[in-house]
Amino acid sequence: MNFPDDLKYTKDHEWARIKGSRATVGITDYAQKELGDIVYVEFKDKGTSLTQGNVFGTVESVKAVSEIYAPISGTIIETNAALLDAPEKINSDCYGDAWMIVIEIKDAPELDKLMDSKAYKAYVEAEAKGH
Amino acid sequence: MRTPLFDAHVKLGAKVVDFHGWDMPVWYTSIKAEHIATRKSCGIFDTSHMGEIYARGSGAVAFLNKMVTIDVSTIEQGQIKYTFLLNTEGGIIDDLTVYCIKPQETYMLCVNASNKDIDFQWLESHNSGSCILENKSESTSMLAVQGPNTFPLLKNLLGFNLENTKYYYFKIHTSPQFGELLISRTGYTGADGAEIFMDNKNSRALWDKLVENGATPCGLGARDTLRLEMGYPLHGNDIDEKTSPLEARLSFAVDLNKESFIGKDALLKQKNEGIKKKLIGIELIDKGVPRQGCICLKDNKEIGIVSSGSISPMLDKGIALCYLDSAVRVGDQVEVLVRDKKLKAVVKKPPFVASQIRK
């Protein structure tokens, strides 16, 4: 499984790519593998303000429904509309084409609560063992 | 619990889930890919968790006729019929297939994994001793080999020509390599193919050989989407002790002309009074996935509930089986409530995808 070094990660298996005051958000390789074939995705509208840990969308595989949580507080300034018609991209390119939303960060110090790739990898390995 | 093939599943990298107490593969690579492999080529499923109950003796037919909804005396040697065990209220304890191994003498009942002990106890509790019942589930393995390529595959590997076995018939085939196999032209996918019963000691070798020769290992995930595309009910979801075969529109497997069987009076009463709900399909017009428990609406009025739903990999649309008010008609436009969204759907009589079975 692939966990790029330049991203921040949540315990709910979202990633955030931070550029200046903006965070691009998606779900991780581990999450897409656990869900299996993804067939549906939806997110809240542009302009919605989110608190860290709030649900901002839902992703569905053939078998399961899973909510997606905001890694950081802020306002949704962009959503990936193309993904709604091609949710299977989440399986094939979860860190690239299958980004979900961009958040204008409200509270930068919250970023410290997120994991780096090394910590997230360890977290996922522990979770996989628990299965 | 684990089937004799558990190690094979792990070796193939299966994602394993708990299914009614069984550690079973839900998928190996992807539900969609396995689903499509079954429709287009050949999929192989470990269904060894299912139950096999034998009924033997001169009293077997009379006993089974009291217990199931069809006339067992009309099943000929080598034939299989789908039927039900009902409670006195006409509710479905289980759905099953009856295999006539020797008329008047030996029958095999193939029952659901989650119900096999319940079924056996129910049967035994009504058996005055005229029938000898044996639960052979523990020692029997079962593989479902489904899809068009099943035919050449079985021919090449076993020298068995499935073409010569009619739909819902079976043959006993003895293979030097894999022992005695009961091969039936049945399945739960709508793809043509076979289900193979054998002693546990032979199943791993046969599984490996089939996979080696191109059969795609498929998990319970694909098994579920395949059966849903055909509108086949799943016990515990679409049918249960609270629903009757009439409500589930499965009266083809009920013989109300038969003298008597458990649940007959309740079904007759229900037939006379008319049913209030019926099991039917919906196909989504909007994007989305209907799931078990979702409410169905028509003109903003609640008309029923989804009993099982998913996405159809062949249609790439949400599909579901649901219990709807009897007044609802095929072709009606309805809505299904998924989270906070009302999604448009049309009422359809399954199958959602044409069956590939040559009868």
Side-chain angles (χ1 to χ4, degrees):
Chain A
M1 267 177 288
N2 173 25
F3 308 121
D5 285 340
D6 60 328
L7 305 180
K8 296 280 192 183
Y9 299 88
T10 71
K11 287 185 173 175
D12 303 306
H13 310 290
E14 292 86 14
W15 56 263
R17 182 178 286 121
I18 315 297
K19 265 192 193 150
S21 64
R22 291 177 176 185
T24 303
V25 178
I27 66 167
T28 68
D29 196 20
Y30 175 77
Q32 69 81 14
K33 275 211 175 77
E34 282 293 302
L35 285 164
D37 294 314
I38 290 165
V39 293
Y40 182 81
V41 66
E42 63 182 17
F43 355 94
K44 294 208 165 139
D45 296 331
K46 229 189 266 188
T48 306
S49 66
L50 298 167
T51 304
Q52 189 175 39
N54 275 176
V55 172
F56 77 82
T58 306
V59 60
E60 294 196 42
S61 66
V62 178
K63 261 305 204 213
V65 183
S66 185
E67 294 189 313
I68 333 164
Y69 302 91
I72 188 128
S73 303
T75 305
I76 301 177
I77 55 165
E78 223 179 308
T79 64
N80 186 354
L83 197 58
L84 304 180
D85 290 319
E88 66 279 0
K89 278 189 185 166
I90 298 168
N91 292 120
S92 59
D93 192 12
C94 65
Y95 300 117
D97 266 2
W99 64 275
M100 292 176 174
I101 59 168
V102 178
I103 297 175
E104 179 71 37
I105 299 170
K106 190 179 146 199
D107 186 11
E110 276 182 358
L111 289 171
D112 297 341
K113 295 186 197 163
L114 302 178
M115 288 176 272
D116 63 15
S117 71
K118 204 176 145 201
Y120 180 67
K121 188 166 176 270
Y123 174 74
V124 161
E125 279 165 3
E127 185 160 293
K129 254 184 219 155
H131 274 198
Chain B
M1 290 169 282
R2 289 171 174 182
T3 77
L5 296 167
F6 180 80
D7 292 343
H9 304 322
V10 172
K11 202 175 152 201
L12 287 161
K15 184 178 168 65
V16 173
V17 295
D18 174 76
F19 180 79
H20 298 285
W22 291 83
D23 293 332
M24 296 298 286
V26 62
W27 70 71
Y28 300 84
T29 57
S30 126
I31 293 175
K32 273 189 176 179
E34 291 162 24
H35 182 113
I36 290 163
T38 302
R39 289 257 179 268
K40 302 213 157 144
S41 174
C42 178
I44 181 172
F45 304 75
D46 177 14
T47 50
S48 301
H49 58 315
M50 290 184 74
E52 295 82 15
I53 297 169
Y54 282 75
R56 292 194 180 90
S58 56
V61 170
F63 171 71
L64 290 175
N65 264 346
K66 188 176 78 179
M67 302 306 295
V68 303
T69 56
I70 50 157
D71 187 353
V72 174
S73 71
T74 65
I75 313 178
E76 58 187 36
Q77 179 144 11
Q79 194 183 14
I80 304 155
K81 280 194 176 167
Y82 177 71
T83 189
F84 306 101
L85 287 173
L86 301 183
N87 59 29
T88 50
E89 287 82 47
I92 301 170
I93 295 171
D94 203 4
D95 64 335
L96 63 147
T97 44
V98 180
Y99 287 64
C100 176
I101 292 174
K102 193 163 186 207
Q104 306 298 327
E105 266 182 43
T106 307
Y107 296 84
M108 182 183 86
L109 314 182
C110 179
V111 304
N112 281 300
S114 52
N115 293 329
K116 62 183 184 229
D117 296 330
I118 297 166
D119 294 349
F120 190 76
Q121 279 159 22
W122 174 256
L123 289 165
E124 206 54 295
S125 72
H126 289 85
N127 183 13
S128 59
S130 64
C131 177
I132 299 148
L133 292 168
E134 187 189 1
N135 191 346
K136 287 188 76 171
S137 306
E138 298 259 316
S139 60
T140 307
S141 288
M142 179 183 174
L143 304 182
V145 193
Q146 303 278 296
N149 280 358
T150 304
F151 293 80
L153 201 54
L154 296 189
K155 207 181 218 167
N156 294 338
L157 294 185
L158 302 173
F160 182 83
N161 190 351
L162 189 61
E163 303 277 359
N164 296 336
T165 305
K166 282 191 285 184
Y167 185 59
Y168 262 68
Y169 279 78
F170 68 91
K171 291 207 170 74
I172 309 280
H173 176 78
T174 306
S175 147
Q177 215 179 338
F178 308 106
E180 189 181 282
L181 308 171
L182 188 160
I183 305 178
S184 65
R185 179 102 177 263
T186 49
Y188 192 51
T189 64
D192 216 330
E195 291 176 306
I196 308 178
F197 299 82
M198 76 220 83
D199 190 275
N200 281 346
K201 67 175 188 281
N202 295 317
S203 53
R204 177 66 195 265
L206 182 58
W207 170 276
D208 286 348
K209 200 79 188 162
L210 286 161
V211 172
E212 234 170 75
N213 283 274
T216 301
C218 300
L220 293 182
R223 187 166 160 82
D224 192 51
T225 50
L226 286 158
R227 69 94 192 166
L228 190 62
E229 278 187 344
M230 302 315 297
Y232 296 155
L234 171 62
H235 194 273
N237 285 39
D238 311 300
I239 50 176
D240 59 28
E241 316 79 58
K242 297 255 162 60
T243 54
S244 84
L246 305 185
E247 292 167 327
R249 292 188 314 108
L250 297 166
S251 44
F252 76 90
V254 177
D255 183 358
L256 285 174
N257 297 319
K258 196 169 71 164
E259 200 177 336
S260 81
F261 59 85
I262 297 172
K264 184 185 172 186
D265 294 343
L267 294 188
L268 282 173
K269 185 162 173 269
Q270 206 173 56
K271 197 180 173 192
N272 290 333
E273 290 174 357
I275 55 163
K276 294 180 184 67
K277 58 174 184 178
K278 62 181 174 189
L279 187 65
I280 191 96
I282 56 167
E283 187 177 296
L284 263 60
I285 298 164
D286 287 333
K287 232 179 280 178
V289 190
R291 307 274 181 185
Q292 187 178 34
C294 287
I295 301 292
C296 300
L297 306 157
K298 189 169 179 250
D299 307 322
N300 281 319
K301 239 184 69 194
E302 198 173 316
I303 51 154
I305 188 161
V306 170
S307 52
S308 45
S310 189
I311 198 119
S312 155
M314 302 309 282
L315 303 173
D316 205 19
K317 283 180 186 169
I319 55 170
L321 291 175
C322 38
Y323 276 99
L324 299 184
D325 189 295
S326 296
V328 175
R329 293 283 166 261
V330 169
D332 283 359
Q333 192 171 315
V334 297
E335 289 175 313
V336 58
L337 196 59
V338 178
R339 290 182 290 278
D340 54 346
K341 283 190 180 144
K342 287 179 190 167
L343 305 179
K344 281 204 272 301
V346 63
V347 178
K348 280 217 164 173
K349 192 177 164 191
F352 297 99
V353 171
S355 164
Q356 297 169 295
I357 294 161
R358 289 165 288 139
K359 289 186 184 169

